[in-house]
Amino acid sequence: MWILYNLGIFLGQFFVLIAAPFNARVRKWKEGRQGLFKLIAGKVDSSKKHTWFHFASLGEFEQGRTVLEAYRTHFPNKLVVVTFFSPSGYEVRANYAKADYVFYLPADTPANAKRFIELINPEEVFFVKYEFWHNYFKALHNRRIPLYLVSAIFRKGQFYFTWYGRLFRSTLRYVTFYFAQNQESVALLHSIGLKNVSLTGDTRFDRVAHLSQHKREIEVVSRFVNGHKVLVAGSTWLPDEELIMSLRQVYPEWKIVIAPHVVDAAHLNEIDSRFKQSVRFSTLNSSVHPKDNANAFVLIIDNIGMLSYLYSYADVAYIGGGFGVGIHNILEAATYGVPVIFGPHYHKFQEAKDLIAAKAAFSIRNLQEFVAVFERLQEIEIRQEAGNRAYGYVQQQAGATAKIIDYLAGSR
């Protein structure tokens, strides 16, 4: 079975070689790993112990960030290595100040796992959410290096909990301890004999709760908003943008900030062509005469890493992805006390279901429902009540990071 797994990893790398010339994201993944071991060997002192934090992408980084930063506060003398699987995380956080080293994670082959672990010499390791790499986990287990899974979450339908998935459960058994997001995950791990788990909650709540207490003014956005009511649409895809374009025709007095999930030239040009009276962030930011864009009512964010602060300008937030495989992060908006709207594909996300139940979030299936919800939110009392419920929910769920750090401190 694991021969097939390793064959799949090999074929994945072969696919990268084939696809890289034609896909910018794949090309970045490939180029980021060229000469990687030589780079690591030249920077890291392998004679010293390190703590290793791994994040799949930028989203997982934000989810586990509070644990990393609290860890550094409680254990200030530890050296920290951060790795990313995806360019979306590495490119934004390559110079992250709380890490001593930031690298891409080499592909999960037995040889790569052995070499990487030898180079960084970890004394303990933290992976976030559901990033499972069998060869790395096995190599850490064989070397008796503690491996913790932060904000672990599982669902009944996952193959680990099916009859045919039992062959893959050895990967799960290599984890030293699970810090689980919810009771369902605890129960599922117990059902396959794994008792090394504690219900700590989701560390994303700690991160977003921190955001709302440390708002960051973005001068360009402040100028653009200029006292208008604002819809901030984050992590949008084409179906989301089509809805927002239609909504704009009904509510032309609202200003709209759009931060698309994919920030490439083709997508940005498409948004430009769809929205009249629009301006890009980079254009407004570099404009010598900002009044030249005074008539703009749609601001297109053409960079990555700003979205979590943009929601502080929102009267209403729209979160993209709900007309695709699933919604993106809704908590970054909820923490600022604004009502949240998203598409129909949200059922894998407990926070979405909770916020809907609290009447702080609204799911829509089409333009008619979008307009109906937006019409209700024109009333300031309804808008504020929904926003207050969203804020209260985030505050109530915070605290997972402290539980994790308490466990680690107690295990010393």
Side-chain angles (χ1 to χ4, degrees), residues 53 60 85 320:
F53 282 83
E60 284 75 17
F85 179 80

Side-chain angles (χ1 to χ4, degrees), residues 25 93 97 115 137 143 198 200 205 219 284 324 347 357 384 390 411:
R25 186 179 179 86
R93 296 299 176 188
R115 179 62 174 148
F137 282 25
R143 290 165 173 76
S198 175
T200 52
F205 288 99
E219 184 181 350
L284 203 59
H347 294 90
Q384 288 180 343
S411 65

Side-chain angles (χ1 to χ4, degrees), residues 330-348:
I330 65 174
L331 296 179
E332 289 180 343
T335 190
Y336 290 107
V338 297
V340 183
I341 303 172
F342 42 79
H345 298 160
Y346 66 86
H347 294 90
K348 292 181 180 180

